[in-house]
Structure formats: structure tokens, C-alpha cells
Amino acid sequence: MTVAVFPGSFDPLTNGHLDLIIRASHLFDQLVVVVGQNTSKKGVFTPSERVAFIQQSIQTLPNVTVQVESGLTVAFMHQLHATVLIRGLRTSTDFEYERGIAGMNRHLDPKIETVCLMADAKYQFVSSSLLREVAKFGGDLTTLVPAPVAKALAQRLGSDTK
């Protein structure tokens, strides 16, 4: 059985993330979505809120679970007996960034394989920082994030989505 891990901050969860989760769930026996804390960013939602958003969105995917982790992803993967690390790519800049992380993870454990999935073209422009900015000024996010996330962003950032 191949266990894959898809780590990210998911702050907020986007439809682009969901697209990657669904696609990865078809490729591997088990997929664990790992909510982590990006130490270089201030979060909008708590890890437990992010887990709840993901769980609400993956109810139809029986081979996908969600967990929180704050340490090294490779160490967490050892606990799960996972051998595949899923990463999403939107741009060439993402590729360069992910290539460095993949190299470090391979250094830490040569048995870990990184699989990069290209973002669907309709989500390639979506980033967490852009979503937060649009939400702050009341822009329409309904096609970019799940409905509960759009509502929570509007409440948290003080604007109403359309």
C-alpha cells in the first residue's frame, strides 16, 4: 500500500488545493493531508479550523485523512510509513522552490519520492496572500474557495463576499 502525504499550511484552503487532493487521492492508496504551520507567515485560521475546512471538503474521499504536524515532514512521514510527498506547482517559481525542498527531503531520506502535480490552469493565479487581500476588500471568492472558507474569510477579515 502506497501512502502519500500532501503537506501545506492551507491557510486558507482553496479550490486549487482541493483539486490537487482529489487528483492525488486517485493516484495513491492512502493520502494524508498534513496541516502545518508556515513559520514565515501569520495565519488567518487556526490549525484546527483549517483541518475542519479540509474534512468538510473531502467527505467523499474515503482514502484521504487530515492531520496536524509541526515538525519535519520527513519525520512525520516515517511515523505514517509514507513514501511519497505530494507538492503542487503553479508557476516556474514554485518549481524552483519545490526542487530545493525535494532535494533536502531526499537528503534526509533517500526513500522519499516527491511527486509534483501541476495546478489546474483555472487556479494557477490563486495564492493565499491574494485571497486574503481580496477578502479584506469584499471581493468575490466563491469560485476560488469552498463556501465555508469564503464565509469564514469574510467574517475573519471583516468584509462580506458577494
Side-chain angles (χ1 to χ4, degrees):
M1 181 167 84
T2 303
V3 179
V5 167
F6 181 28
S9 59
F10 305 105
D11 190 34
L13 175 70
T14 71
N15 288 341
H17 292 134
L18 285 177
D19 179 61
L20 294 174
I21 290 167
I22 292 165
R23 289 166 47 204
S25 77
H26 296 301
L27 297 174
F28 302 99
D29 299 312
Q30 183 181 1
L31 176 66
V32 181
V33 179
V34 179
V35 173
Q37 181 65 42
N38 187 332
T39 56
S40 64
K41 295 180 185 176
K42 184 179 187 258
V44 174
F45 299 111
T46 67
S48 60
E49 289 172 317
R50 290 180 264 156
V51 166
F53 290 138
I54 297 167
Q55 287 175 331
Q56 289 171 15
S57 301
I58 63 162
Q59 292 178 22
T60 61
L61 303 173
N63 66 327
V64 180
T65 58
V66 186
Q67 296 188 34
V68 175
E69 173 55 23
S70 60
L72 281 176
T73 301
V74 169
F76 186 66
M77 290 178 71
H78 289 158
Q79 295 172 21
L80 301 173
H81 304 287
T83 56
V84 177
L85 183 62
I86 303 295
R87 300 300 293 165
L89 299 177
R90 295 173 297 147
T91 65
S92 59
T93 303
D94 285 350
F95 173 77
E96 293 299 326
Y97 176 74
E98 295 298 340
R99 183 171 59 174
I101 292 174
M104 179 55 77
N105 287 332
R106 194 147 181 83
H107 169 77
L108 295 171
D109 184 344
K111 292 178 251 155
I112 300 287
E113 288 294 342
T114 298
V115 173
C116 294
L117 298 176
M118 296 300 301
D120 188 296
K122 64 185 172 190
Y123 301 122
Q124 287 180 352
F125 67 92
V126 177
S127 71
S128 297
S129 57
L130 279 175
L131 290 175
R132 288 190 295 268
E133 189 76 8
V134 170
K136 182 177 178 182
F137 292 103
D140 183 4
L141 298 176
T142 56
T143 62
L144 302 176
V145 299
V149 175
K151 182 178 178 181
L153 276 170
Q155 290 172 344
R156 187 72 40 98
L157 298 177
S159 296
D160 293 322
T161 58
K162 298 178 178 172

